[in-house]
Amino acid sequence: MRPLKYRRNKSYLLVDGYNVIGQWSRIDKTVPLEDQRRELLDILADYNAETDEDIYVIFDAYLVKKSGGGLHRYKGLTVIFTREFETADHFIERQVAEMGRVRGIRVATSDNIEQQIILSRGGSRLSAREFEAEVDAVSAKRRLRQKQLKKAATLTNGLSIDELQSLKAQVEETD
């Protein structure tokens, strides 16, 4: 697989997929691994909608015979499966090294050795549990905003367009 292309003015989050699945309490460990991956990706897609980071989710495929690796998009995320004999840790280390000192490279993993390597190569680390708390906080803000929008829609339901425009103008004046 070719190296990924990065832009200097963008923030990136690289997620060690299986490490995060293993650490997050919200992922149902009783379902098949494919379902756990999809659950993680759905959670991260919602999170991604609220952030300005490009998110790369890396899964180990190093034990898959003749795996050439793979890259695909899923709801705005870039999902990567490593090649045969390549761990997600190795892939992440190589990407962080190639990215150099690009602005805002974060790596979500709870592997302590991996965290030290990431720091030494210019990235910042985020444990899986810290990342889960961050995702929870963003989700809570999103739910609150949706609740407020729903309430506002209910309050303005039945107003004419002229009344809505007048109300909007009054709100903008107070801001």
Side-chain angles (χ1 to χ4, degrees):
M1 190 177 347
R2 294 185 319 239
L4 303 175
K5 294 185 180 182
Y6 302 99
R7 297 184 308 266
R8 289 215 172 269
N9 59 345
K10 191 72 178 149
S11 295
Y12 297 93
L13 172 63
L14 282 65
V15 178
D16 185 337
Y18 290 133
N19 184 277
V20 168
I21 285 172
Q23 294 292 315
W24 279 15
S25 59
R26 67 169 57 197
I27 303 286
D28 182 1
K29 310 297 188 298
T30 63
V31 299
L33 190 56
E34 183 176 329
D35 293 341
Q36 293 176 44
R37 280 195 307 258
R38 186 163 319 277
E39 184 177 358
L40 174 66
L41 293 175
D42 286 339
I43 292 167
L44 294 180
D46 288 343
Y47 170 80
N48 189 37
E50 301 294 321
T51 69
D52 65 344
E53 290 178 305
D54 280 355
I55 299 178
Y56 294 83
V57 186
I58 299 95
F59 293 104
D60 293 303
Y62 69 97
L63 295 178
V64 177
K65 299 272 189 238
K66 299 181 183 177
S67 171
L71 181 147
H72 70 277
R73 301 284 294 167
Y74 181 83
K75 296 182 179 181
L77 306 170
T78 302
V79 181
I80 299 165
F81 288 89
T82 63
R83 300 179 306 230
E84 182 179 14
F85 304 118
E86 181 179 39
T87 65
D89 291 346
H90 181 258
F91 181 89
I92 291 169
E93 291 167 18
R94 191 175 77 242
Q95 294 305 315
V96 171
E98 288 174 6
M99 291 166 74
R101 304 270 184 221
V102 174
R103 171 188 160 253
I105 304 167
R106 300 189 314 149
V107 177
T109 182
S110 287
D111 183 324
N112 290 330
I113 294 171
E114 186 66 15
Q115 288 179 354
Q116 295 305 315
I117 293 169
I118 296 308
L119 282 174
S120 72
R121 295 192 175 165
S124 62
R125 64 185 175 185
L126 184 63
S127 78
R129 295 198 191 270
E130 290 170 330
F131 184 44
E132 184 175 26
E134 183 177 307
V135 169
D136 287 344
V138 168
S139 295
K141 285 181 186 176
R142 182 179 188 175
R143 283 191 305 274
L144 178 61
R145 187 172 56 254
Q146 288 173 338
K147 187 177 181 180
Q148 290 170 336
L149 287 173
K150 189 174 183 178
K151 184 177 181 181
T154 302
L155 291 173
T156 59
N157 195 16
L159 294 179
S160 70
I161 291 179
D162 291 336
E163 291 170 325
L164 285 171
Q165 288 175 341
S166 174
L167 185 59
K168 182 180 175 188
Q170 290 174 10
V171 168
E172 288 173 354
E173 286 177 12
T174 60
D175 288 342

